[in-house]
Amino acid sequence: MKLITFLYHGKETVGILTEGGVAALPFPDMNTLIESASFEELRTTLPAAPVIPLEEAVLLAPIPRPRQDVICLGMNYRDHEKEAARYDAGAFSKDKPAAVYFSKRVSEAGRPDGDIPRHAGLTDRLDYEAELAVIIGKTAKNVKAAEAEAYIFGYTVLNDVSARDLQTGHKQWYFGKSLDGFTPMGPCILTADEVSFPPMLEITAAVNGELRQRSNTGLLIHGVGEIIEELSAGMTLLPGTIIATGTPAGVGMGFDPPKFLKAGDVVECTVQGIGTLRNTVR
């Protein structure tokens, strides 16, 4: 199933994409759906759900207002780890094989077809990062990697937009990753029962039609099961928790000279089977 959040006649609604449109579901928001409904219950509800024509729905991020900061992994593909170190060894070099975690503050996630704010005057090194994001489906504490699949609700696409000058200048990543509009997400949540585990999906990013990133989520240094085991050993992961698993090589700072985003650029981030974010820098 592909689950979406959308506006219909000004009201925020959640639904399932179908061949005929969007089947509207009786939940106030996606977080409530995730914590209270099983896949079987959703499929049972589907035949009786009212169907709305897709052209009448205004697509939002599947979880427009995450309940907590997004958990992110840095340098979780070998090729990106190398290009990041070339750009700024002091900020990005890894001395140990341990996973690099950071958080991304998101007051409201960006629409799949919305704008990325340029934040002119604050940053002039705006960058993109196509990522597979994991959505936790039930409370996870002390979960082993072999059991992790049962705790995943689904997957979505996330663009971890980054202000590189803020990221390197402050010697920490939180501010440079958390400006308003820096988390486009969607276009849907693909439920976990539709994806083999661990997920091995093609992931790409293009800017103005130029392919910049192309890899596969099977190449993650720290896989989804390992991530959930490590995090849940020390913190409780609640339903609706979003984990962005990292980006492959090909980000703007990885080129020589760097190819940072400018006003008018169109960024397309795609994960196989889920869909594409298409965002314009304004």
Side-chain angles (χ1 to χ4, degrees):
M1 291 177 288
K2 290 185 174 182
L3 302 174
I4 64 171
T5 297
F6 61 100
L7 289 177
Y8 181 63
H9 292 171
K11 180 182 178 181
E12 190 172 303
T13 307
V14 295
I16 301 175
L17 286 175
T18 70
E19 290 185 2
V22 185
L25 298 173
F27 298 94
D29 54 49
M30 190 67 75
N31 280 318
T32 303
L33 184 156
I34 291 169
E35 66 187 3
S36 60
S38 68
F39 298 154
E40 293 75 17
E41 290 169 336
L42 292 175
R43 289 193 172 91
T44 300
T45 304
L46 189 56
V51 177
I52 296 167
L54 189 58
E55 61 270 18
E56 296 181 19
V58 178
L59 198 60
L60 304 176
I63 304 178
R65 290 166 295 281
R67 288 175 172 170
Q68 297 175 305
D69 286 2
V70 174
I71 301 171
C72 303
L73 277 88
M75 298 176 289
N76 201 25
Y77 290 80
R78 296 288 182 200
D79 52 3
H80 176 59
E81 180 184 350
K82 293 176 181 177
E83 71 174 359
R86 286 196 303 269
Y87 177 74
D88 189 323
F92 295 107
S93 291
K94 286 179 65 175
D95 298 326
K96 299 179 181 180
V100 175
Y101 295 107
F102 62 95
S103 63
K104 188 176 180 80
R105 188 167 185 83
V106 185
S107 57
E108 185 171 358
R111 288 172 43 183
D113 59 354
D115 293 340
I116 297 172
R118 174 68 187 84
H119 290 286
L122 185 58
T123 178
D124 58 8
R125 297 184 181 182
L126 191 66
D127 211 345
Y128 54 89
E129 295 188 4
E131 306 202 10
L132 174 72
V134 178
I135 313 297
I136 298 296
K138 59 183 180 180
T139 301
K141 181 66 176 176
N142 294 320
V143 175
K144 297 302 181 185
E147 306 164 346
E149 182 180 6
Y151 289 81
I152 298 171
F153 181 81
Y155 303 91
T156 192
V157 187
L158 186 148
N159 184 352
D160 179 18
V161 181
S162 307
R164 299 300 187 192
D165 38 6
L166 298 181
Q167 185 181 10
T168 58
H170 285 270
K171 303 301 180 184
Q172 50 78 31
W173 299 0
Y174 189 72
F175 184 37
K177 296 278 191 174
S178 299
L179 303 186
D180 289 346
F182 270 23
T183 313
M185 189 192 309
C188 67
I189 296 174
L190 180 65
T191 54
D193 58 342
E194 302 279 355
V195 182
S196 61
F197 189 85
M200 297 185 181
L201 306 172
E202 184 177 73
I203 180 169
T204 64
V207 178
N208 301 327
E210 177 194 1
L211 185 64
R212 300 273 186 90
Q213 295 182 284
R214 185 172 187 176
S215 189
N216 190 288
T217 61
L219 297 176
L220 292 171
I221 298 172
H222 305 283
V224 175
E226 178 188 343
I227 293 166
I228 291 174
E229 177 174 339
E230 184 165 57
L231 290 175
S232 70
M235 65 175 73
T236 301
L237 304 177
L238 299 176
T241 296
I242 302 166
I243 304 172
T245 57
T247 198
V251 300
M253 72 175 179
F255 290 88
D256 185 15
K259 296 182 177 182
F260 293 120
L261 298 172
K262 59 185 183 300
D265 283 349
V266 177
V267 185
E268 295 175 291
C269 298
T270 302
V271 175
Q272 177 186 355
I274 302 174
T276 298
L277 304 175
R278 189 178 190 275
N279 303 105
T280 303
V281 179
R282 301 291 188 188

